[in-house]
Amino acid sequence: MENFIRPDFDEYFLKIASVVSERATCQRHHMGALAVSDRRILATGYNGAPAGLKDCLELGCLRNELGIPSGKRVEICRAVHAEQNVIIQAALHGVSIKGSTIYCTHSPCVLCAKMLCNAQIKRFVSFGRYNDDEFLTLFKEAGIQFELKNPPSGSITFLK
């Protein structure tokens, strides 16, 4: 196949996180996340209302209605963040994410960063920046490596 460039693992997992984000029900940001260890996906998560509850697609976005800017008053949002859902899904299925890498479409808010510190991840890789950089101080203190990459290609190459 001419001109085919095989993606490295970071691009590969960021592309998968992008696909996961398509399940999000948030009207502001579609976020997807993966926990990966030894090149194996342990859990996935996207942002949306708690399982079985009405979401923003059905009810509308309360933060938009109140004019709350991104990165502020996150407690008003009804969504569970993608990173939170990765941690929850791993826990529900008895999978430890200790020492793993989280691939996420955006950098974490400070609340998610605290949870990721407690989950003892080692690395966080993203291509998008959330409107809050408070996580950087926590990650540095916890020894979590943060890497901001270029967005992955939006196309998928199939052999014919």
Side-chain angles (χ1 to χ4, degrees):
M1 189 174 196
E2 281 185 46
N3 300 325
F4 174 71
I5 299 174
R6 188 174 182 213
D8 66 22
F9 280 104
D10 286 342
E11 181 179 0
Y12 169 70
F13 289 123
L14 285 172
K15 189 178 279 194
I16 294 170
S18 298
V19 172
V20 170
S21 77
E22 291 181 329
R23 291 282 307 151
T25 60
C26 177
Q27 294 181 349
R28 287 185 170 201
H29 298 290
H30 280 193
M31 294 181 64
L34 315 171
V36 174
S37 186
D38 297 322
R39 298 181 180 166
R40 186 171 65 95
I41 298 171
L42 305 174
T44 66
Y46 53 86
N47 57 327
L53 301 183
K54 293 180 180 180
D55 58 45
C56 295
L57 297 178
E58 186 175 351
L59 297 174
C61 176
L62 182 58
R63 291 169 51 83
N64 280 345
E65 291 169 18
L66 296 174
I68 298 170
S70 181
K72 304 294 183 199
R73 304 282 321 271
V74 295
E75 74 279 2
I76 290 176
C77 181
R78 68 176 48 96
V80 178
H81 291 187
E83 305 95 321
Q84 294 168 352
N85 273 322
V86 161
I87 294 166
I88 292 164
Q89 288 302 309
L92 283 172
H93 298 286
V95 176
S96 173
I97 62 170
K98 180 179 181 178
S100 70
T101 296
I102 301 296
Y103 289 91
C104 191
T105 56
H106 293 71
S107 58
C109 72
V110 70
L111 297 174
C112 288
K114 291 176 188 180
M115 293 178 196
L116 293 166
C117 288
N118 272 0
Q120 299 179 21
I121 68 162
K122 290 294 177 203
R123 187 170 172 242
F124 190 101
V125 181
S126 181
F127 61 85
R129 291 301 284 258
Y130 184 62
N131 215 11
D132 176 2
D133 280 341
E134 289 184 52
F135 76 94
L136 289 169
T137 303
L138 290 170
F139 275 13
K140 184 175 181 178
E141 189 174 342
I144 297 171
Q145 181 182 358
F146 173 70
E147 294 179 42
L148 189 63
K149 302 281 188 173
N150 291 323
S153 167
S155 63
I156 297 174
T157 304
F158 294 99
L159 289 177
K160 297 181 183 180

